[in-house]
Amino acid sequence: HLYAEAVKRTVKFFIALALGKEIVGEHWIRESVEKGKFVDGGRFMLRDPASEEKYDFSLRRSLAAARGARLLQGKTFFITASTKPSPAELSQIIAAAGGTVVGSLEGAPADATVVSCEGDLQRLPKNNRHSVVSVEYILSGLLQQELDADKFRLNAPAAAAATGKRAAADDEGGRKKRR
């Protein structure tokens, strides 16, 4: 069980959610004290409609989905240095959700995903071919139990350069600009 007064985007909350653990509110504590033992948490699931609306998810549905399958099972990630939560904390969350974190892009599987932030994009290798996403790909993905790389994609230098070249080529009806 994880006790919470409200949905809080903490490492403990995300790990409990990823594992499908019961996240209970204050009534669970009162009932457990009254009975002199921990009672089943199912009846005392945390209810926080404001946060569920804000983050566009249903805690009940997300926990049920997490109990059925780990969201990041079979997926590999590389985390850049300046992410918030920290790489160590994010690694714990990813592992709880079934994912694997590698310490380097060198030798990483071709389908590995880079979890980064705007400040770290320039540190990525110029020849990076991995998908680069913000931490919200993981955090919002866990809340909603659905991954959306397009929504949380960051433009890494190699991708931005390629996009810029395509944009220049598309100017003037597809003809390349002359310099």
Side-chain angles (χ1 to χ4, degrees):
H1 294 87
L2 173 71
Y3 164 74
E5 294 177 10
V7 170
K8 300 282 185 189
R9 291 169 44 106
T10 64
V11 173
K12 286 182 182 181
F13 183 88
F14 281 112
I15 289 172
L17 178 60
L19 294 172
K21 299 288 185 185
E22 292 179 336
I23 300 175
V24 295
E26 183 179 344
H27 297 296
W28 176 77
I29 291 178
R30 283 195 213 134
E31 185 78 11
S32 294
V33 168
E34 186 178 300
K35 300 277 185 190
K37 64 178 183 173
F38 291 123
V39 297
D40 177 47
R43 297 181 330 179
F44 302 97
M45 181 179 290
L46 174 67
R47 297 191 198 300
D48 186 354
S51 291
E52 289 183 46
E53 183 177 334
K54 178 180 179 179
Y55 298 117
D56 191 28
F57 82 110
S58 161
L59 182 58
R60 186 172 298 281
R61 282 194 297 268
S62 294
L63 286 169
R67 288 180 190 120
R70 291 170 131 193
L71 183 67
L72 304 178
Q73 191 68 46
K75 298 190 182 320
T76 303
F77 299 91
F78 170 75
I79 305 168
T80 62
S82 302
T83 60
K84 301 286 184 238
S86 72
E89 293 169 327
L90 204 51
S91 292
Q92 291 175 34
I93 294 168
I94 288 170
T100 302
V101 176
V102 295
S104 169
L105 280 176
E106 189 174 311
D111 63 348
T113 301
V114 176
V115 181
S116 191
C117 58
E118 290 290 336
D120 283 348
L121 292 179
Q122 294 303 320
R123 295 181 187 154
L124 292 174
K126 297 291 184 210
N127 62 349
N128 176 54
R129 297 292 179 231
H130 297 279
S131 177
V132 181
V133 296
S134 73
V135 297
E136 282 304 314
Y137 172 76
I138 302 293
L139 303 182
S140 291
L142 283 169
L143 288 175
Q144 299 164 355
Q145 287 296 297
E146 182 177 292
L147 297 172
D148 187 347
D150 291 334
K151 184 175 182 179
F152 299 109
R153 188 170 318 281
L154 295 176
N155 287 324
T163 303
K165 288 177 187 173
R166 281 194 299 273
D170 288 342
D171 283 350
E172 299 179 22
R175 290 175 278 139
K176 289 187 178 184
K177 282 187 171 181
R178 292 189 181 171
R179 295 180 188 208

Short mmCIF file of all heavy atoms in Angstrom, two decimals, residues 4-8 13 25 27 45-61 143:
data_model
loop_
_atom_site.label_atom_id
_atom_site.label_comp_id
_atom_site.label_asym_id
_atom_site.label_seq_id
_atom_site.Cartn_x
_atom_site.Cartn_y
_atom_site.Cartn_z
N ALA A 4 -1.56 8.23 0.47
CA ALA A 4 -1.39 9.57 -0.09
C ALA A 4 -2.65 10.37 0.17
O ALA A 4 -3.77 9.84 0.12
CB ALA A 4 -1.13 9.49 -1.59
N GLU A 5 -2.48 11.64 0.48
CA GLU A 5 -3.63 12.52 0.68
C GLU A 5 -4.19 12.99 -0.65
O GLU A 5 -5.36 13.35 -0.75
CB GLU A 5 -3.22 13.73 1.52
CG GLU A 5 -2.84 13.37 2.94
CD GLU A 5 -2.37 14.56 3.74
OE1 GLU A 5 -2.51 15.71 3.28
OE2 GLU A 5 -1.86 14.34 4.85
N ALA A 6 -3.33 13.00 -1.67
CA ALA A 6 -3.72 13.44 -3.00
C ALA A 6 -2.73 12.83 -3.99
O ALA A 6 -1.69 12.30 -3.60
CB ALA A 6 -3.66 14.97 -3.10
N VAL A 7 -3.06 12.92 -5.27
CA VAL A 7 -2.13 12.47 -6.30
C VAL A 7 -0.93 13.42 -6.25
O VAL A 7 -1.07 14.62 -6.42
CB VAL A 7 -2.78 12.49 -7.70
CG1 VAL A 7 -1.74 12.26 -8.79
CG2 VAL A 7 -3.88 11.46 -7.79
N LYS A 8 0.22 12.86 -5.95
CA LYS A 8 1.47 13.62 -5.91
C LYS A 8 2.43 12.95 -6.87
O LYS A 8 2.62 11.75 -6.82
CB LYS A 8 2.08 13.63 -4.50
CG LYS A 8 1.20 14.23 -3.44
CD LYS A 8 1.24 15.71 -3.49
CE LYS A 8 0.44 16.27 -2.31
NZ LYS A 8 0.26 17.69 -2.41
N PHE A 13 5.10 7.56 -5.55
CA PHE A 13 3.78 7.45 -6.17
C PHE A 13 3.89 6.75 -7.52
O PHE A 13 3.12 5.83 -7.82
CB PHE A 13 3.14 8.84 -6.35
CG PHE A 13 1.75 8.78 -6.91
CD1 PHE A 13 0.65 8.64 -6.07
CD2 PHE A 13 1.54 8.84 -8.28
CE1 PHE A 13 -0.63 8.57 -6.60
CE2 PHE A 13 0.26 8.76 -8.80
CZ PHE A 13 -0.83 8.64 -7.96
N GLY A 25 -6.27 6.34 0.67
CA GLY A 25 -6.44 7.62 1.32
C GLY A 25 -6.53 7.49 2.83
O GLY A 25 -6.36 6.40 3.41
N HIS A 27 -8.98 7.42 4.93
CA HIS A 27 -9.98 6.52 5.51
C HIS A 27 -9.40 5.13 5.77
O HIS A 27 -9.80 4.44 6.71
CB HIS A 27 -11.22 6.43 4.61
CG HIS A 27 -11.93 7.73 4.47
ND1 HIS A 27 -12.54 8.36 5.54
CD2 HIS A 27 -12.14 8.53 3.40
CE1 HIS A 27 -13.08 9.49 5.14
NE2 HIS A 27 -12.85 9.62 3.84
N MET A 45 -9.44 3.23 -1.87
CA MET A 45 -8.57 3.80 -2.90
C MET A 45 -8.63 5.33 -2.86
O MET A 45 -9.70 5.91 -2.67
CB MET A 45 -8.97 3.33 -4.29
CG MET A 45 -8.06 3.89 -5.38
SD MET A 45 -8.48 3.32 -7.01
CE MET A 45 -7.97 1.63 -6.87
N LEU A 46 -7.48 5.93 -3.04
CA LEU A 46 -7.39 7.39 -3.07
C LEU A 46 -8.34 7.94 -4.13
O LEU A 46 -8.42 7.41 -5.24
CB LEU A 46 -5.95 7.81 -3.42
CG LEU A 46 -5.71 9.30 -3.64
CD1 LEU A 46 -5.91 10.07 -2.34
CD2 LEU A 46 -4.32 9.52 -4.19
N ARG A 47 -9.04 8.96 -3.77
CA ARG A 47 -9.90 9.67 -4.72
C ARG A 47 -9.42 11.11 -4.79
O ARG A 47 -9.35 11.80 -3.79
CB ARG A 47 -11.35 9.61 -4.29
CG ARG A 47 -11.91 8.21 -4.23
CD ARG A 47 -13.41 8.19 -4.06
NE ARG A 47 -13.97 6.94 -3.60
CZ ARG A 47 -13.87 5.76 -4.19
NH1 ARG A 47 -13.21 5.66 -5.30
NH2 ARG A 47 -14.43 4.69 -3.69
N ASP A 48 -9.08 11.55 -6.00
CA ASP A 48 -8.59 12.90 -6.21
C ASP A 48 -9.05 13.37 -7.58
O ASP A 48 -8.27 13.45 -8.53
CB ASP A 48 -7.06 12.93 -6.10
CG ASP A 48 -6.48 14.34 -6.17
OD1 ASP A 48 -7.23 15.30 -6.42
OD2 ASP A 48 -5.25 14.47 -5.99
N PRO A 49 -10.35 13.68 -7.71
CA PRO A 49 -10.90 14.06 -9.01
C PRO A 49 -10.20 15.27 -9.65
O PRO A 49 -10.05 15.31 -10.87
CB PRO A 49 -12.37 14.38 -8.72
CG PRO A 49 -12.66 13.82 -7.37
CD PRO A 49 -11.35 13.67 -6.66
N ALA A 50 -9.77 16.22 -8.84
CA ALA A 50 -9.12 17.42 -9.39
C ALA A 50 -7.82 17.04 -10.11
O ALA A 50 -7.56 17.49 -11.22
CB ALA A 50 -8.86 18.44 -8.30
N SER A 51 -6.99 16.20 -9.47
CA SER A 51 -5.73 15.80 -10.09
C SER A 51 -5.98 14.89 -11.29
O SER A 51 -5.27 14.97 -12.29
CB SER A 51 -4.83 15.08 -9.08
OG SER A 51 -4.39 16.00 -8.11
N GLU A 52 -6.98 14.02 -11.18
CA GLU A 52 -7.28 13.13 -12.30
C GLU A 52 -7.71 13.95 -13.52
O GLU A 52 -7.33 13.63 -14.64
CB GLU A 52 -8.35 12.11 -11.90
CG GLU A 52 -7.80 11.08 -10.93
CD GLU A 52 -8.80 10.01 -10.56
OE1 GLU A 52 -9.47 9.48 -11.47
OE2 GLU A 52 -8.91 9.69 -9.36
N GLU A 53 -8.46 15.00 -13.28
CA GLU A 53 -8.85 15.87 -14.40
C GLU A 53 -7.64 16.65 -14.93
O GLU A 53 -7.43 16.73 -16.13
CB GLU A 53 -9.94 16.85 -13.95
CG GLU A 53 -10.43 17.72 -15.09
CD GLU A 53 -11.57 18.64 -14.67
OE1 GLU A 53 -12.30 18.31 -13.72
OE2 GLU A 53 -11.71 19.70 -15.30
N LYS A 54 -6.84 17.17 -14.02
CA LYS A 54 -5.66 17.97 -14.41
C LYS A 54 -4.70 17.15 -15.27
O LYS A 54 -4.17 17.64 -16.26
CB LYS A 54 -4.94 18.45 -13.15
CG LYS A 54 -3.67 19.24 -13.43
CD LYS A 54 -3.02 19.70 -12.14
CE LYS A 54 -1.73 20.46 -12.42
NZ LYS A 54 -1.09 20.92 -11.17
N TYR A 55 -4.46 15.88 -14.88
CA TYR A 55 -3.50 15.03 -15.59
C TYR A 55 -4.17 14.07 -16.58
O TYR A 55 -3.50 13.23 -17.16
CB TYR A 55 -2.63 14.26 -14.60
CG TYR A 55 -1.81 15.17 -13.72
CD1 TYR A 55 -2.00 15.20 -12.34
CD2 TYR A 55 -0.84 16.01 -14.26
CE1 TYR A 55 -1.25 16.05 -11.53
CE2 TYR A 55 -0.09 16.86 -13.45
CZ TYR A 55 -0.30 16.87 -12.10
OH TYR A 55 0.46 17.71 -11.30
N ASP A 56 -5.47 14.23 -16.75
CA ASP A 56 -6.23 13.46 -17.75
C ASP A 56 -6.05 11.95 -17.60
O ASP A 56 -5.61 11.27 -18.52
CB ASP A 56 -5.83 13.92 -19.16
CG ASP A 56 -6.76 13.36 -20.23
OD1 ASP A 56 -7.94 13.10 -19.93
OD2 ASP A 56 -6.30 13.17 -21.37
N PHE A 57 -6.38 11.44 -16.41
CA PHE A 57 -6.29 10.01 -16.18
C PHE A 57 -7.29 9.58 -15.11
O PHE A 57 -7.87 10.41 -14.42
CB PHE A 57 -4.86 9.61 -15.77
CG PHE A 57 -4.55 9.80 -14.31
CD1 PHE A 57 -4.37 8.71 -13.48
CD2 PHE A 57 -4.42 11.07 -13.76
CE1 PHE A 57 -4.07 8.87 -12.13
CE2 PHE A 57 -4.12 11.24 -12.43
CZ PHE A 57 -3.94 10.14 -11.59
N SER A 58 -7.51 8.29 -15.01
CA SER A 58 -8.32 7.70 -13.96
C SER A 58 -7.41 6.79 -13.14
O SER A 58 -6.87 5.82 -13.68
CB SER A 58 -9.47 6.88 -14.56
OG SER A 58 -9.99 5.98 -13.60
N LEU A 59 -7.23 7.10 -11.86
CA LEU A 59 -6.35 6.31 -11.02
C LEU A 59 -6.83 4.86 -10.97
O LEU A 59 -6.03 3.93 -11.09
CB LEU A 59 -6.28 6.90 -9.61
CG LEU A 59 -5.34 6.18 -8.64
CD1 LEU A 59 -3.91 6.14 -9.17
CD2 LEU A 59 -5.38 6.87 -7.28
N ARG A 60 -8.10 4.65 -10.85
CA ARG A 60 -8.65 3.29 -10.78
C ARG A 60 -8.31 2.50 -12.05
O ARG A 60 -7.82 1.38 -11.99
CB ARG A 60 -10.17 3.35 -10.58
CG ARG A 60 -10.80 1.98 -10.36
CD ARG A 60 -12.26 2.08 -9.97
NE ARG A 60 -12.50 2.78 -8.73
CZ ARG A 60 -12.33 2.26 -7.50
NH1 ARG A 60 -11.91 1.03 -7.38
NH2 ARG A 60 -12.58 2.97 -6.43
N ARG A 61 -8.54 3.11 -13.22
CA ARG A 61 -8.24 2.42 -14.49
C ARG A 61 -6.73 2.22 -14.68
O ARG A 61 -6.30 1.18 -15.17
CB ARG A 61 -8.83 3.19 -15.67
CG ARG A 61 -10.32 2.98 -15.83
CD ARG A 61 -10.82 3.47 -17.17
NE ARG A 61 -10.66 4.89 -17.38
CZ ARG A 61 -11.58 5.81 -17.09
NH1 ARG A 61 -12.74 5.46 -16.62
NH2 ARG A 61 -11.34 7.08 -17.30
N LEU A 143 0.78 7.64 -15.69
CA LEU A 143 -0.52 8.08 -15.18
C LEU A 143 -1.65 7.58 -16.07
O LEU A 143 -2.66 7.08 -15.59
CB LEU A 143 -0.59 9.61 -15.09
CG LEU A 143 0.22 10.27 -13.98
CD1 LEU A 143 0.16 11.78 -14.10
CD2 LEU A 143 -0.24 9.81 -12.60
#
